[in-house]
Amino acid sequence: MKDEHLLQAFNVWEELSLSQEDVIAYQSRLKYILDEEAKLEDVKHMAEQLGIEKGIEKEKEETANKLLANGMDIDFIHKITDLSVERIEEIKERLIQSREDK
């Protein structure tokens, strides 16, 4: 139908002619769809947060790597990056290993 008013009137008439069971089924289906959309939005938000957190962690590790390469102290790097001392030591070992491989 090309006439918008006629199409709108037809849709309203169709809705008015639904049985009680049809209305309940329609509303249940609509609620299910809206719930699923909300779940997807939640998952999307959580994935974005996780991505941001991983990006921040990677940036901290790159900073620690640069500071270690310039001879900075592990405790100083810990204070600057807030990475654990153990993680900084792992980065240091990896840096030493990569130098030995060259």
Side-chain angles (χ1 to χ4, degrees):
M1 291 185 192
K2 292 185 179 183
D3 185 352
E4 276 299 314
H5 295 293
L6 187 57
L7 180 60
Q8 191 175 11
F10 183 73
N11 288 336
V12 169
W13 174 77
E14 202 172 53
E15 288 176 21
L16 290 174
S17 64
L18 293 175
S19 70
Q20 183 69 20
E21 293 82 21
D22 291 338
V23 170
I24 291 171
Y26 169 79
Q27 289 175 342
S28 295
R29 179 72 179 145
L30 182 59
K31 182 183 180 319
Y32 173 79
I33 291 169
L34 293 174
D35 288 346
E36 289 300 308
E37 286 180 358
K39 286 180 194 176
L40 288 174
E41 281 298 314
D42 287 346
V43 168
K44 180 181 172 186
H45 178 71
M46 288 175 12
E48 288 173 350
Q49 280 302 119
L50 183 61
I52 290 169
E53 290 170 10
K54 283 187 175 187
I56 291 170
E57 193 69 18
K58 184 177 180 184
E59 190 67 31
K60 287 180 179 183
E61 289 178 3
E62 288 176 4
T63 300
N65 196 34
K66 289 176 185 175
L67 291 170
L68 286 166
N70 285 292
M72 301 306 282
D73 177 75
I74 288 179
D75 288 330
F76 174 77
I77 296 170
H78 169 69
K79 289 176 189 174
I80 297 299
T81 63
D82 203 31
L83 289 171
S84 69
V85 172
E86 293 81 17
R87 183 65 186 128
I88 297 169
E89 288 172 350
E90 289 172 8
I91 295 169
K92 184 176 182 178
E93 286 299 316
R94 192 175 64 217
L95 182 64
I96 291 168
Q97 188 66 35
S98 69
R99 287 181 180 166
E100 290 175 356
D101 290 344
K102 288 182 180 178

